Amino acid sequence: MNDNTILVGVDGSHASYKATWWAANYAKHMGLSLQIVCAYSLPSYAAVSFDATYTSMGDDNAAHNDAQEILSKAKAIADEQGVDAQTLIVTGDPSSVFVELSRNYNLIVIGNRGKGGLAERLLGTTSSSLPAYAYCPIVVVPYTDDKDNLLHLNNVITKVAVGSDDTKWGLRALQIAADFAASWGAELDVITVVPGTTNLDDPAEKQKFEDVLDARLESIRTTHPDLKIRKSIVSGRAVETLTKASHTHDIVVVGSCGRGGLTGLLLNSTSQGLLQHSASPVYVVPRKFVEAEEQRVKTGTASGTEAAEVTSLEEFVREVPVERASEETERQIEIDIDPKAHEYR
């Protein structure tokens, strides 16, 4: 496990560079380093993977060179923030590659709503969705809003929202959200969504949900006595409620149960879920991550998966030291990914 490193995926799209900026900003705040990964597979590379150029199918050398150029730009974003960043080129289907890499990191950051391949490959369908199948939490950083307007990302987190329920992954999401908010000195808004038919105007009915939520928050108040917590009980649909919260919070944290449930709402290609509409980064706590943690506790091992399941990464990972892009290129990328970039220089 790379406990002190955040993994960020890039593909040459502005969305992936924006994810790199968010990851670098968070890494700087937490005293962590970055591992920037560019993944591609041939022959699908030319058709769907990179946003930068078109390369003849099967031309691995050209794909490798493009990957190096992409990594140099991403490294410039990290270097500009004073964050140590290593670079990797990985050959293989991006979905499978990042699921496999998720066994070795505590956090992966990817972009969303950009042109080109990585977000599409990793988020496009439930069956290939990284947040649904990863072994570590995933932060999905939006590039634009629903009207294709560029979104500004704050470099200081002041308000964190978390969707709260009593599932194992929901409870773990609450803990992670509390830790995240405390690390920034931010406020935590704990949101419980109840069925739309619930009459919250009935004091007795509302009190039942408040009692359950208070019990859920007891351990959080013990571990974070100074954390400012706001409780919200809302009747309606979870996706709509959390999407609304994304417009007033710097990040939204949710638990994911895999197929169906909340993940089905968030990641199904036929639905309009939170990841498709959020105006702020979404921190997803997957079911496999929670189960892997439980397994580590039971076995006392460093990994929560059976040894037979772990694949050697050396076969398809190439560490590639790259020079950072020029300052002019880096400044242009900042302008392209955020119209307010000059405000946090």
Side-chain angles (χ1 to χ4, degrees):
M1 293 294 295
N2 295 291
D3 292 332
N4 298 316
T5 304
I6 298 171
L7 186 71
V8 58
V10 295
D11 64 352
S13 67
H14 288 153
S16 69
Y17 293 139
K18 196 159 195 167
T20 303
W21 183 92
W22 189 94
N25 182 65
Y26 180 55
K28 180 179 180 179
H29 174 74
M30 297 297 294
L32 305 174
S33 61
L34 284 188
Q35 186 74 267
I36 307 174
V37 175
C38 190
Y40 69 88
S41 60
L42 296 172
S44 61
Y45 152 74
V48 298
S49 290
F50 291 175
D51 193 41
T53 60
Y54 182 88
T55 302
S56 300
M57 289 187 181
D59 190 346
D60 184 68
N61 288 332
H64 184 84
N65 291 336
D66 282 350
Q68 286 184 295
E69 182 179 350
I70 290 167
L71 289 171
S72 73
K73 294 177 179 178
K75 182 172 174 58
I77 295 172
D79 287 350
E80 196 274 335
Q81 297 199 53
V83 174
D84 177 46
Q86 304 300 315
T87 52
L88 293 177
I89 292 177
V90 186
T91 54
D93 174 71
S95 297
S96 301
V97 164
F98 279 90
V99 167
E100 194 63 38
L101 288 173
S102 72
R103 299 177 188 270
N104 301 93
Y105 293 86
N106 286 332
L107 185 67
I108 293 179
V109 181
I110 58 175
N112 194 15
R113 274 196 222 114
K115 295 179 180 178
L118 190 61
E120 180 180 330
R121 297 295 296 279
L122 300 182
L123 299 172
T125 63
T126 303
S127 62
S128 64
S129 167
L130 178 62
Y133 292 90
Y135 291 90
C136 75
I138 309 296
V139 173
V140 182
V141 179
Y143 176 56
T144 61
D145 62 19
D146 287 338
K147 297 181 180 179
D148 291 329
N149 298 311
L150 288 177
L151 290 169
H152 170 63
L153 299 178
N154 293 325
N155 61 337
V156 176
I157 304 296
T158 60
K159 297 183 70 176
V160 177
V162 57
S164 176
D165 60 34
D166 58 1
T167 63
K168 290 190 294 184
W169 30 94
L171 294 173
R172 190 67 181 95
L174 178 59
Q175 294 172 345
I176 286 176
D179 293 342
F180 188 92
S183 73
W184 286 97
E187 298 178 5
L188 179 64
D189 190 359
V190 183
I191 303 172
T192 294
V193 183
V194 298
T197 56
T198 305
N199 181 16
L200 293 179
D201 292 329
D202 181 347
E205 184 76 3
K206 186 175 182 180
Q207 188 63 48
K208 289 192 300 183
F209 292 106
E210 289 184 346
D211 290 344
V212 171
L213 183 53
D214 285 335
R216 203 178 297 154
L217 289 171
E218 186 174 348
S219 63
I220 300 299
R221 296 188 189 280
T222 300
T223 55
H224 299 290
D226 298 326
L227 182 62
K228 185 176 181 179
I229 300 174
R230 178 176 179 268
K231 300 179 296 182
S232 300
I233 299 174
V234 182
S235 63
R237 297 181 58 189
V239 168
E240 293 176 354
T241 301
L242 296 175
T243 298
K244 183 178 179 181
S246 75
H247 289 269
T248 56
H249 294 77
D250 298 307
I251 193 166
V252 179
V253 185
V254 292
S256 163
C257 66
R259 292 182 178 179
L262 186 56
T263 297
L265 291 173
L266 297 181
L267 305 173
N268 191 294
S269 61
T270 61
S271 69
Q272 300 297 312
L274 177 59
L275 292 184
Q276 284 72 33
H277 295 283
S278 179
S280 64
V282 179
Y283 195 129
V284 182
V285 180
R287 175 178 180 171
K288 283 191 174 184
F289 163 69
V290 177
E291 292 175 342
E293 278 194 327
E294 292 179 340
Q295 186 67 16
R296 284 196 294 271
V297 172
K298 290 179 181 179
T299 62
T301 60
S303 173
T305 56
E306 295 297 330
E309 294 179 346
V310 179
T311 302
S312 172
L313 302 180
E314 295 178 356
E315 297 179 5
F316 59 95
V317 174
R318 287 179 280 180
E319 186 167 2
V320 184
V322 300
E323 297 294 329
R324 65 172 287 176
S326 66
E327 291 186 8
E328 181 180 355
T329 299
E330 187 270 326
R331 283 195 297 270
Q332 186 58 52
I333 291 173
E334 278 197 345
I335 293 171
D336 290 338
I337 65 176
D338 194 332
K340 298 182 180 180
H342 64 281
E343 295 184 6
Y344 50 73
R345 267 195 167 276

